[in-house]
Amino acid sequence: MQKLGFLPEAQNDMIFSIICEELGLFGAIAVIILFMLLIWRFMVIANNAQDLFGALLVVGTMAHMSIQVILNIAVVTNSIPNTGITLPFISYGGSSVVFLLIEIGMVLSVSRSIKLEK
């Protein structure tokens, strides 16, 4: 599809279809599993946060990233109309990646205060 020029903004919004085209089913499943692991880790951090503000901060970041992933994959699979939502950390774009990195930094600062029992 991409090689024939049918995909609009192949490097931005439709990057998941390029991953599926080049890496096949294994690549698509690997990307989905990596995002699921990231969201699962957010849930672990939110459950073990020291205060309510940290937990809510992590839950907000988790919701933002999971909604962004779900919407992008739904657009690529033609389940919903094109919305212009990028795939986090994979799509080409400066401002989206900057804000995602800021969010990850805030989540990491919350995770620093967690003391896990052994």
Side-chain angles (χ1 to χ4, degrees):
M1 296 288 288
Q2 186 262 341
K3 294 175 182 156
L4 299 176
F6 291 122
L7 287 177
E9 298 296 326
Q11 73 278 7
N12 290 343
D13 301 340
M14 303 292 177
I15 194 68
F16 189 71
S17 65
I18 305 302
I19 292 171
C20 293
E21 182 180 20
E22 297 295 329
L23 301 177
L25 184 64
F26 176 74
I29 290 174
V31 168
I32 291 171
I33 287 173
L34 286 174
F35 279 119
M36 287 173 56
L37 284 172
L38 184 67
I39 291 168
W40 173 76
R41 188 64 188 158
F42 283 169
M43 288 192 307
V44 170
I45 293 170
N47 283 334
N48 296 318
Q50 294 288 327
D51 56 346
L52 181 63
F53 178 74
L56 291 176
L57 184 76
V58 174
V59 167
T61 302
M62 179 181 66
H64 174 242
M65 288 190 61
S66 60
I67 288 171
Q68 201 168 351
V69 168
I70 290 168
L71 285 178
N72 185 279
I73 291 175
V75 164
V76 168
T77 58
N78 209 10
S79 301
I80 62 173
N82 196 351
T83 56
I85 303 286
T86 60
L87 192 62
F89 301 115
I90 297 176
S91 296
Y92 177 78
S95 61
S96 174
V97 173
V98 167
F99 284 105
L100 286 168
L101 289 174
I102 290 170
E103 286 179 350
I104 292 293
M106 291 189 297
V107 169
L108 286 174
S109 71
V110 170
S111 72
R112 286 178 61 187
S113 65
I114 293 175
K115 293 180 177 47
L116 296 176
E117 297 177 9
K118 292 183 182 180

